[in-house]
Amino acid sequence: MNKKILLGMMLTFGLQAEQIQMTSEQEKNWNISVEAPKASKSYPFGEFIAHVVTPPTLLNTISLPFEANVKKLYVAKYQRVKHGDVLAEVTGTKWIEVQQKAIAEAIEYKHHAHLTERKNVLCKEEIIPQKECVAANAELKADKIRVAASKALLKGYGASQSVIDTLFKNLEISNTIKITSTVDGSIIELGATPGKSTNPDDALFVIKQEGALWLEANIEADRTMKLHEGQDVEVTLNQELFKTRVLQIAPVINPQNQTRQVRFLLPTKANISSGFIGSAKLTLFSDVLKVKKNSVIKEGFTQIVFAKTKKGFVAVPVKVLSEDDDYYYLKKSPRLQDEIATNSLAILKNLLGGSDE
């Protein structure tokens, strides 16, 4: 194209704002190619370092409310257990004492039960005053409450219902108590050792139940504005792709790095263990347009594309949501329904009077 034609085009543009008038011959001379933007239902949000953690609701700690000595251990660390499986046998002076107290309460209750039964018969036949029966029944009721309290204390010490029933039936003390699992899962922490004495604040076993884990990532605070709790997203982690949702977004910003922690649900089908740290690619779902990267150019602080018209091209401002190696993902706009220029953008931009960037 000679200088006269180029000057004429620039003058025409100056009269018609953003419109660049160009014939098909001129378009061919400048080797300008066009292509329609592609519709997409999702766009990449970014790549972040993420940490897989276990929700606290899946962690079950087994401890004892008394000082104990581990007599026998039945399990090892990382072993899978089921609800009711015996984990260890322990003994302790407090365990012996609470059984002794329970037996004493049981004996007292049985004694008062027989005594009250006889008094009730005598009261019914008016042989003794009614006030003696009232007093006897009140004392029996108090004994019954004390027996119930003893059973609750035994249960709090880790005794199973069968152990409690046997104790009150046979009135015999057991030197050891069996510690059983309260859930199905895997032992991830083992504090019990044969021959070792334990304190009430010691965790003997920590059992992790099966269930969905959490995926946590620290994301730039300004970028989290595009996220909301309950939002469906897609995550690629450790070469696995899965759909999930945003569980929580931290209500505070880390002042040191200006990030917010975002928590996602990690589906149970994802074969990724708790403690894993890796790079996670996050994809958001939305109706967007994607265009080749060489289709977008910057004009001042605005990014633009050149949309094809019947008379030439028109500069259209666009909002870039994200990008990957080949494409920009743009917010949908009615002005982006037609084809756009995919090369020679610097020439078109010069016709706007801008500098090449």
Side-chain angles (χ1 to χ4, degrees):
M1 182 179 294
N2 59 42
K3 292 183 178 180
K4 290 184 178 180
I5 296 176
L6 179 58
L7 180 60
M9 291 172 58
M10 295 179 67
L11 290 174
T12 302
F13 169 75
L15 294 174
Q16 300 193 19
E18 296 179 342
Q19 180 73 43
I20 302 175
Q21 291 190 2
M22 183 179 295
T23 65
S24 57
E25 183 181 351
Q26 293 167 340
E27 184 178 332
K28 185 177 180 181
N29 288 338
W30 283 112
N31 195 29
I32 299 175
S33 301
V34 294
E35 187 177 295
K38 298 178 181 178
S40 177
K41 295 291 184 181
S42 62
Y43 64 94
F45 182 69
E47 192 167 353
F48 313 94
I49 298 299
H51 185 194
V52 179
V53 300
T54 302
T57 53
L58 296 181
L59 297 177
N60 294 268
T61 301
I62 297 177
S63 59
L64 295 172
F66 61 92
E67 291 184 2
N69 183 268
V70 180
K71 289 295 184 182
K72 193 170 184 180
L73 191 62
Y74 291 89
V75 293
K77 193 174 183 179
Y78 304 129
Q79 183 174 329
R80 292 185 61 82
V81 295
K82 292 187 176 297
H83 182 277
D85 284 355
V86 178
L87 307 178
E89 283 188 45
V90 303
T91 189
T93 55
K94 286 291 184 182
W95 166 241
I96 303 298
E97 289 174 3
V98 74
Q99 289 181 94
Q100 290 173 336
K101 184 175 183 299
I103 290 174
E105 298 288 0
I107 293 173
E108 189 74 9
Y109 175 75
K110 287 183 178 181
H111 170 69
H112 285 154
H114 293 308
L115 185 62
T116 302
E117 185 179 358
R118 288 197 301 268
K119 283 188 176 183
N120 285 334
V121 172
L122 295 175
C123 286
K124 187 176 182 180
E125 296 177 355
E126 297 183 351
I127 297 175
I128 61 174
Q130 288 291 332
K131 64 180 182 180
E132 290 194 27
C133 290
V134 172
N137 281 286
E139 189 172 5
L140 182 63
K141 185 177 181 180
D143 287 342
K144 188 175 182 180
I145 293 173
R146 283 191 284 269
V147 168
S150 293
K151 289 183 177 181
L153 184 59
L154 286 166
K155 192 171 184 179
Y157 270 50
S160 65
Q161 189 60 49
S162 62
V163 169
I164 295 173
D165 292 341
T166 301
L167 176 67
F168 277 85
K169 179 181 178 181
N170 301 331
L171 302 180
E172 294 179 357
I173 290 176
S174 173
N175 289 327
T176 61
I177 179 174
K178 292 181 178 179
I179 308 302
T180 59
S181 176
T182 54
V183 295
D184 295 346
S186 301
I187 297 173
I188 60 171
E189 291 185 25
L190 181 61
T193 304
K196 176 184 176 183
S197 294
T198 66
N199 295 315
D201 56 348
D202 290 341
L204 299 183
F205 306 93
V206 177
I207 302 175
K208 174 187 169 296
Q209 290 178 267
E210 295 297 325
L213 303 178
W214 288 346
L215 183 67
E216 297 178 342
N218 295 321
I219 300 177
E220 295 91 336
D222 56 341
R223 301 194 67 184
T224 60
M225 300 301 291
K226 295 181 180 179
L227 302 175
H228 62 268
E229 294 182 0
Q231 180 178 1
D232 291 329
V233 298
E234 193 173 68
V235 174
T236 302
L237 179 68
N238 196 28
Q239 299 182 340
E240 287 197 45
L241 176 67
F242 50 87
K243 290 184 179 180
T244 182
R245 69 177 187 275
V246 179
L247 282 183
Q248 290 99 26
I249 301 175
V252 295
I253 296 174
N254 186 331
Q256 296 181 343
N257 55 19
Q258 291 298 293
T259 62
R260 295 171 73 186
Q261 187 183 80
V262 181
R263 180 176 294 148
F264 306 91
L265 186 67
L266 189 65
T268 53
K269 66 178 182 179
N271 188 27
I272 304 175
S273 301
S274 180
F276 177 83
I277 299 177
S279 180
K281 294 181 180 179
L282 184 60
T283 300
L284 303 187
F285 296 105
S286 182
D287 288 328
V288 298
L289 296 174
K290 68 177 186 178
V291 299
K292 291 180 179 177
K293 280 193 167 182
N294 55 5
S295 301
V296 180
I297 197 168
K298 203 168 185 180
E299 172 62 23
F301 296 101
T302 305
Q303 289 174 299
I304 61 173
V305 297
F306 290 98
K308 185 78 171 65
T309 66
K310 293 180 179 180
K311 296 182 179 180
F313 292 90
V314 62
V316 178
V318 295
K319 182 176 181 180
V320 177
L321 300 175
S322 67
E323 62 181 282
D324 56 24
D325 293 339
D326 301 312
Y327 292 95
Y328 281 123
Y329 293 80
L330 312 178
K331 183 177 181 180
K332 291 190 84 172
S333 168
R335 301 185 67 184
L336 296 177
Q337 296 179 351
D338 301 319
E339 295 177 324
I340 61 174
T342 57
N343 63 342
S344 302
L345 267 63
I347 296 174
L348 293 172
K349 182 183 175 183
N350 284 334
L351 299 181
L352 292 176
S355 60
D356 188 10
E357 295 186 27

CSV table of all heavy atoms in Angstrom, one decimal, residues 244-288:
chain,number,residue,atom,x,y,z
A,244,THR,N,-15.3,-29.8,42.0
A,244,THR,CA,-15.5,-29.6,43.4
A,244,THR,C,-16.2,-28.2,43.7
A,244,THR,O,-16.7,-27.7,42.7
A,244,THR,CB,-14.2,-29.7,44.2
A,244,THR,OG1,-14.4,-29.6,45.6
A,244,THR,CG2,-13.2,-28.6,43.8
A,245,ARG,N,-16.1,-27.8,44.9
A,245,ARG,CA,-16.7,-26.5,45.2
A,245,ARG,C,-15.9,-25.7,46.3
A,245,ARG,O,-15.2,-26.4,47.0
A,245,ARG,CB,-18.2,-26.6,45.6
A,245,ARG,CG,-18.4,-27.3,47.0
A,245,ARG,CD,-19.8,-27.3,47.4
A,245,ARG,NE,-20.0,-27.8,48.7
A,245,ARG,CZ,-20.1,-29.1,49.1
A,245,ARG,NH1,-20.0,-30.0,48.2
A,245,ARG,NH2,-20.3,-29.4,50.4
A,246,VAL,N,-16.1,-24.4,46.3
A,246,VAL,CA,-15.5,-23.6,47.4
A,246,VAL,C,-16.2,-23.8,48.7
A,246,VAL,O,-17.4,-23.6,48.8
A,246,VAL,CB,-15.5,-22.1,47.0
A,246,VAL,CG1,-14.8,-21.3,48.1
A,246,VAL,CG2,-14.8,-21.9,45.7
A,247,LEU,N,-15.5,-24.3,49.7
A,247,LEU,CA,-16.1,-24.5,51.0
A,247,LEU,C,-16.2,-23.2,51.8
A,247,LEU,O,-17.2,-22.8,52.3
A,247,LEU,CB,-15.4,-25.6,51.8
A,247,LEU,CG,-15.7,-27.0,51.4
A,247,LEU,CD1,-14.9,-28.0,52.3
A,247,LEU,CD2,-17.2,-27.3,51.5
A,248,GLN,N,-15.0,-22.6,52.1
A,248,GLN,CA,-14.9,-21.4,52.8
A,248,GLN,C,-13.8,-20.5,52.3
A,248,GLN,O,-12.8,-21.0,51.6
A,248,GLN,CB,-14.5,-21.7,54.3
A,248,GLN,CG,-15.6,-22.3,55.1
A,248,GLN,CD,-15.4,-23.8,55.3
A,248,GLN,OE1,-14.3,-24.3,55.2
A,248,GLN,NE2,-16.5,-24.6,55.5
A,249,ILE,N,-14.0,-19.2,52.5
A,249,ILE,CA,-13.0,-18.2,52.1
A,249,ILE,C,-12.7,-17.4,53.4
A,249,ILE,O,-13.6,-17.0,54.1
A,249,ILE,CB,-13.5,-17.2,51.0
A,249,ILE,CG1,-13.8,-18.0,49.8
A,249,ILE,CG2,-12.4,-16.2,50.7
A,249,ILE,CD1,-14.4,-17.1,48.7
A,250,ALA,N,-11.4,-17.4,53.8
A,250,ALA,CA,-11.1,-16.7,55.1
A,250,ALA,C,-11.7,-15.3,55.1
A,250,ALA,O,-11.5,-14.5,54.1
A,250,ALA,CB,-9.6,-16.7,55.2
A,251,PRO,N,-12.3,-14.9,56.2
A,251,PRO,CA,-12.8,-13.5,56.3
A,251,PRO,C,-11.8,-12.5,56.6
A,251,PRO,O,-12.1,-11.3,56.6
A,251,PRO,CB,-13.8,-13.7,57.5
A,251,PRO,CG,-13.2,-14.7,58.4
A,251,PRO,CD,-12.6,-15.7,57.4
A,252,VAL,N,-10.5,-12.9,56.7
A,252,VAL,CA,-9.4,-11.9,57.0
A,252,VAL,C,-8.3,-12.1,56.0
A,252,VAL,O,-8.2,-13.2,55.4
A,252,VAL,CB,-8.9,-12.1,58.4
A,252,VAL,CG1,-9.9,-11.7,59.5
A,252,VAL,CG2,-8.4,-13.5,58.6
A,253,ILE,N,-7.6,-11.1,55.8
A,253,ILE,CA,-6.5,-11.1,54.8
A,253,ILE,C,-5.1,-11.2,55.6
A,253,ILE,O,-5.0,-10.5,56.6
A,253,ILE,CB,-6.5,-9.8,54.0
A,253,ILE,CG1,-7.7,-9.8,53.1
A,253,ILE,CG2,-5.2,-9.8,53.1
A,253,ILE,CD1,-7.9,-8.5,52.3
A,254,ASN,N,-4.2,-12.1,55.1
A,254,ASN,CA,-2.9,-12.2,55.7
A,254,ASN,C,-2.2,-10.9,55.4
A,254,ASN,O,-1.9,-10.6,54.3
A,254,ASN,CB,-2.2,-13.4,55.2
A,254,ASN,CG,-0.8,-13.6,55.8
A,254,ASN,OD1,-0.2,-12.7,56.3
A,254,ASN,ND2,-0.4,-14.9,55.9
A,255,PRO,N,-1.8,-10.1,56.5
A,255,PRO,CA,-1.2,-8.8,56.2
A,255,PRO,C,0.2,-8.9,55.7
A,255,PRO,O,0.7,-7.9,55.1
A,255,PRO,CB,-1.2,-8.1,57.6
A,255,PRO,CG,-1.2,-9.2,58.6
A,255,PRO,CD,-2.0,-10.3,57.9
A,256,GLN,N,0.9,-10.0,55.8
A,256,GLN,CA,2.2,-10.2,55.4
A,256,GLN,C,2.3,-10.4,53.9
A,256,GLN,O,3.3,-9.9,53.3
A,256,GLN,CB,2.9,-11.4,56.1
A,256,GLN,CG,3.0,-11.1,57.6
A,256,GLN,CD,3.7,-12.3,58.3
A,256,GLN,OE1,3.8,-13.4,57.8
A,256,GLN,NE2,4.1,-12.1,59.6
A,257,ASN,N,1.4,-11.1,53.3
A,257,ASN,CA,1.5,-11.4,51.9
A,257,ASN,C,0.2,-11.0,51.1
A,257,ASN,O,0.1,-11.3,49.9
A,257,ASN,CB,1.9,-12.9,51.6
A,257,ASN,CG,0.9,-13.8,52.3
A,257,ASN,OD1,-0.2,-13.5,52.6
A,257,ASN,ND2,1.3,-15.1,52.4
A,258,GLN,N,-0.8,-10.4,51.8
A,258,GLN,CA,-2.0,-10.0,51.2
A,258,GLN,C,-2.7,-11.1,50.5
A,258,GLN,O,-3.2,-11.0,49.3
A,258,GLN,CB,-1.8,-8.8,50.3
A,258,GLN,CG,-1.4,-7.5,51.0
A,258,GLN,CD,-2.4,-7.0,51.9
A,258,GLN,OE1,-3.5,-6.6,51.5
A,258,GLN,NE2,-2.2,-7.0,53.2
A,259,THR,N,-2.8,-12.3,51.2
A,259,THR,CA,-3.6,-13.4,50.6
A,259,THR,C,-4.7,-13.8,51.5
A,259,THR,O,-4.7,-13.4,52.7
A,259,THR,CB,-2.7,-14.6,50.4
A,259,THR,OG1,-2.1,-15.0,51.7
A,259,THR,CG2,-1.5,-14.3,49.5
A,260,ARG,N,-5.6,-14.5,51.0
A,260,ARG,CA,-6.7,-15.1,51.8
A,260,ARG,C,-6.7,-16.6,51.6
A,260,ARG,O,-6.5,-17.1,50.5
A,260,ARG,CB,-8.1,-14.6,51.4
A,260,ARG,CG,-8.2,-13.1,51.7
A,260,ARG,CD,-9.5,-12.5,51.0
A,260,ARG,NE,-10.7,-13.0,51.8
A,260,ARG,CZ,-11.9,-12.7,51.3
A,260,ARG,NH1,-12.2,-12.1,50.2
A,260,ARG,NH2,-13.0,-13.1,52.1
A,261,GLN,N,-6.9,-17.4,52.7
A,261,GLN,CA,-7.0,-18.8,52.5
A,261,GLN,C,-8.3,-19.2,52.0
A,261,GLN,O,-9.4,-18.8,52.5
A,261,GLN,CB,-6.7,-19.5,53.8
A,261,GLN,CG,-6.6,-21.0,53.7
A,261,GLN,CD,-6.4,-21.7,55.0
A,261,GLN,OE1,-7.4,-22.0,55.7
A,261,GLN,NE2,-5.2,-22.1,55.4
A,262,VAL,N,-8.3,-20.0,50.9
A,262,VAL,CA,-9.5,-20.5,50.3
A,262,VAL,C,-9.5,-22.1,50.5
A,262,VAL,O,-8.5,-22.7,50.2
A,262,VAL,CB,-9.6,-20.2,48.8
A,262,VAL,CG1,-10.9,-20.7,48.2
A,262,VAL,CG2,-9.5,-18.6,48.6
A,263,ARG,N,-10.6,-22.6,50.9
A,263,ARG,CA,-10.7,-24.0,51.2
A,263,ARG,C,-11.7,-24.7,50.2
A,263,ARG,O,-12.8,-24.2,50.0
A,263,ARG,CB,-11.2,-24.2,52.6
A,263,ARG,CG,-11.3,-25.7,53.1
A,263,ARG,CD,-11.7,-25.8,54.5
A,263,ARG,NE,-10.6,-25.3,55.4
A,263,ARG,CZ,-10.7,-24.7,56.5
A,263,ARG,NH1,-12.0,-24.4,57.0
A,263,ARG,NH2,-9.7,-24.3,57.2
A,264,PHE,N,-11.3,-25.8,49.6
A,264,PHE,CA,-12.1,-26.5,48.6
A,264,PHE,C,-12.3,-27.9,49.2
A,264,PHE,O,-11.5,-28.4,50.0
A,264,PHE,CB,-11.4,-26.6,47.3
A,264,PHE,CG,-11.0,-25.3,46.7
A,264,PHE,CD1,-9.7,-24.8,46.9
A,264,PHE,CD2,-11.8,-24.6,45.9
A,264,PHE,CE1,-9.3,-23.6,46.4
A,264,PHE,CE2,-11.5,-23.4,45.3
A,264,PHE,CZ,-10.2,-22.9,45.6
A,265,LEU,N,-13.4,-28.5,48.7
A,265,LEU,CA,-13.7,-29.9,49.1
A,265,LEU,C,-12.9,-30.8,48.1
A,265,LEU,O,-13.1,-30.7,46.9
A,265,LEU,CB,-15.2,-30.2,49.0
A,265,LEU,CG,-15.6,-31.5,49.5
A,265,LEU,CD1,-15.4,-31.7,51.0
A,265,LEU,CD2,-17.1,-31.7,49.2
A,266,LEU,N,-12.2,-31.8,48.7
A,266,LEU,CA,-11.5,-32.8,47.9
A,266,LEU,C,-12.3,-34.0,47.8
A,266,LEU,O,-12.5,-34.7,48.9
A,266,LEU,CB,-10.1,-33.0,48.5
A,266,LEU,CG,-9.1,-33.9,47.6
A,266,LEU,CD1,-8.8,-33.2,46.3
A,266,LEU,CD2,-7.9,-34.2,48.4
A,267,PRO,N,-12.9,-34.4,46.7
A,267,PRO,CA,-13.8,-35.6,46.6
A,267,PRO,C,-13.1,-36.8,47.1
A,267,PRO,O,-11.8,-37.0,47.0
A,267,PRO,CB,-14.1,-35.7,45.2
A,267,PRO,CG,-13.9,-34.3,44.6
A,267,PRO,CD,-12.7,-33.8,45.4
A,268,THR,N,-13.8,-37.8,47.6
A,268,THR,CA,-13.3,-39.0,48.1
A,268,THR,C,-12.7,-39.8,47.0
A,268,THR,O,-11.7,-40.6,47.2
A,268,THR,CB,-14.3,-39.9,48.8
A,268,THR,OG1,-15.5,-40.0,48.0
A,268,THR,CG2,-14.8,-39.2,50.1
A,269,LYS,N,-13.2,-39.6,45.8
A,269,LYS,CA,-12.6,-40.4,44.6
A,269,LYS,C,-11.2,-39.9,44.2
A,269,LYS,O,-10.5,-40.7,43.5
A,269,LYS,CB,-13.6,-40.3,43.4
A,269,LYS,CG,-13.7,-38.9,42.8
A,269,LYS,CD,-14.6,-38.9,41.6
A,269,LYS,CE,-14.7,-37.5,41.0
A,269,LYS,NZ,-15.6,-37.4,39.8
A,270,ALA,N,-10.8,-38.7,44.6
A,270,ALA,CA,-9.5,-38.3,44.3
A,270,ALA,C,-8.5,-39.0,45.2
A,270,ALA,O,-8.5,-39.1,46.4
A,270,ALA,CB,-9.4,-36.8,44.6
A,271,ASN,N,-7.6,-39.7,44.5
A,271,ASN,CA,-6.6,-40.6,45.2
A,271,ASN,C,-5.4,-39.8,45.6
A,271,ASN,O,-4.3,-39.9,45.2
A,271,ASN,CB,-6.2,-41.7,44.2
A,271,ASN,CG,-5.3,-42.7,44.9
A,271,ASN,OD1,-5.4,-42.9,46.1
A,271,ASN,ND2,-4.5,-43.4,44.1
A,272,ILE,N,-5.7,-38.8,46.6
A,272,ILE,CA,-4.6,-37.9,47.1
A,272,ILE,C,-4.7,-38.0,48.6
A,272,ILE,O,-5.8,-37.8,49.2
A,272,ILE,CB,-4.8,-36.5,46.6
A,272,ILE,CG1,-4.8,-36.5,45.0
A,272,ILE,CG2,-3.7,-35.6,47.1
A,272,ILE,CD1,-5.1,-35.2,44.4
A,273,SER,N,-3.6,-38.2,49.2
A,273,SER,CA,-3.6,-38.4,50.7
A,273,SER,C,-3.4,-37.0,51.4
A,273,SER,O,-2.9,-36.1,50.9
A,273,SER,CB,-2.4,-39.3,51.1
A,273,SER,OG,-2.6,-40.6,50.5
A,274,SER,N,-3.9,-37.0,52.7
A,274,SER,CA,-3.7,-35.9,53.5
A,274,SER,C,-2.2,-35.6,53.7
A,274,SER,O,-1.4,-36.5,53.9
A,274,SER,CB,-4.4,-36.1,54.9
A,274,SER,OG,-4.2,-35.0,55.7
A,275,GLY,N,-1.8,-34.3,53.7
A,275,GLY,CA,-0.4,-33.9,53.9
A,275,GLY,C,0.2,-33.6,52.5
A,275,GLY,O,1.3,-33.0,52.5
A,276,PHE,N,-0.4,-34.0,51.4
A,276,PHE,CA,0.2,-33.7,50.1
A,276,PHE,C,0.2,-32.2,49.8
A,276,PHE,O,-0.8,-31.5,50.1
A,276,PHE,CB,-0.6,-34.4,49.0
A,276,PHE,CG,-0.1,-34.1,47.6
A,276,PHE,CD1,0.9,-34.9,47.1
A,276,PHE,CD2,-0.7,-33.1,46.8
A,276,PHE,CE1,1.4,-34.6,45.8
A,276,PHE,CE2,-0.2,-32.9,45.6
A,276,PHE,CZ,0.8,-33.6,45.1
A,277,ILE,N,1.3,-31.7,49.3
A,277,ILE,CA,1.5,-30.3,48.9
A,277,ILE,C,1.9,-30.3,47.5
A,277,ILE,O,2.9,-30.9,47.1
A,277,ILE,CB,2.5,-29.5,49.8
A,277,ILE,CG1,2.1,-29.5,51.3
A,277,ILE,CG2,2.7,-28.1,49.3
A,277,ILE,CD1,3.0,-28.9,52.2
A,278,GLY,N,1.2,-29.5,46.7
A,278,GLY,CA,1.5,-29.5,45.2
A,278,GLY,C,0.8,-28.3,44.6
A,278,GLY,O,0.1,-27.5,45.2
A,279,SER,N,1.1,-28.2,43.3
A,279,SER,CA,0.6,-27.1,42.5
A,279,SER,C,-0.8,-27.5,42.0
A,279,SER,O,-1.0,-28.5,41.3
A,279,SER,CB,1.5,-26.8,41.3
A,279,SER,OG,1.0,-25.7,40.5
A,280,ALA,N,-1.8,-26.6,42.3
A,280,ALA,CA,-3.2,-26.9,41.9
A,280,ALA,C,-3.6,-25.8,40.8
A,280,ALA,O,-3.5,-24.6,41.1
A,280,ALA,CB,-4.1,-26.9,43.1
A,281,LYS,N,-4.1,-26.3,39.7
A,281,LYS,CA,-4.7,-25.4,38.7
A,281,LYS,C,-6.2,-25.3,38.9
A,281,LYS,O,-6.9,-26.3,39.0
A,281,LYS,CB,-4.4,-26.0,37.3
A,281,LYS,CG,-2.9,-25.9,36.9
A,281,LYS,CD,-2.7,-26.5,35.5
A,281,LYS,CE,-1.2,-26.5,35.1
A,281,LYS,NZ,-1.0,-27.0,33.7
A,282,LEU,N,-6.7,-24.1,39.0
A,282,LEU,CA,-8.1,-23.9,39.3
A,282,LEU,C,-8.8,-23.3,38.0
A,282,LEU,O,-8.3,-22.4,37.4
A,282,LEU,CB,-8.2,-22.9,40.4
A,282,LEU,CG,-9.6,-22.6,41.0
A,282,LEU,CD1,-10.3,-23.8,41.5
A,282,LEU,CD2,-9.5,-21.5,42.1
A,283,THR,N,-10.0,-23.9,37.7
A,283,THR,CA,-10.8,-23.5,36.6
A,283,THR,C,-12.1,-23.0,37.1
A,283,THR,O,-12.8,-23.7,37.9
A,283,THR,CB,-10.9,-24.6,35.6
A,283,THR,OG1,-9.6,-25.0,35.1
A,283,THR,CG2,-11.8,-24.2,34.4
A,284,LEU,N,-12.6,-21.9,36.6
A,284,LEU,CA,-13.9,-21.4,37.0
A,284,LEU,C,-14.9,-21.6,35.8
A,284,LEU,O,-14.5,-21.6,34.7
A,284,LEU,CB,-13.9,-19.9,37.3
A,284,LEU,CG,-12.9,-19.5,38.4
A,284,LEU,CD1,-13.1,-18.0,38.8
A,284,LEU,CD2,-13.1,-20.3,39.7
A,285,PHE,N,-16.2,-21.8,36.2
A,285,PHE,CA,-17.2,-22.0,35.2
A,285,PHE,C,-18.0,-20.7,34.9
A,285,PHE,O,-18.5,-20.0,35.8
A,285,PHE,CB,-18.2,-23.1,35.7
A,285,PHE,CG,-17.5,-24.4,35.8
A,285,PHE,CD1,-17.3,-24.9,37.1
A,285,PHE,CD2,-17.2,-25.2,34.7
A,285,PHE,CE1,-16.7,-26.2,37.2
A,285,PHE,CE2,-16.6,-26.4,34.8
A,285,PHE,CZ,-16.3,-26.9,36.1
A,286,SER,N,-18.0,-20.3,33.6
A,286,SER,CA,-18.7,-19.1,33.2
A,286,SER,C,-18.7,-19.0,31.7
A,286,SER,O,-17.8,-19.6,31.1
A,286,SER,CB,-18.0,-17.8,33.8
A,286,SER,OG,-18.7,-16.6,33.5
A,287,ASP,N,-19.7,-18.4,31.2
A,287,ASP,CA,-19.8,-18.2,29.7
A,287,ASP,C,-18.8,-17.1,29.3
A,287,ASP,O,-19.1,-15.9,29.6
A,287,ASP,CB,-21.2,-17.9,29.3
A,287,ASP,CG,-22.1,-19.1,29.4
A,287,ASP,OD1,-21.6,-20.2,29.2
A,287,ASP,OD2,-23.3,-18.9,29.7
A,288,VAL,N,-17.7,-17.4,28.6
A,288,VAL,CA,-16.7,-16.4,28.2
A,288,VAL,C,-16.4,-16.7,26.8
A,288,VAL,O,-16.8,-17.6,26.1
A,288,VAL,CB,-15.5,-16.5,29.1
A,288,VAL,CG1,-15.8,-16.2,30.6
A,288,VAL,CG2,-14.8,-17.9,29.0
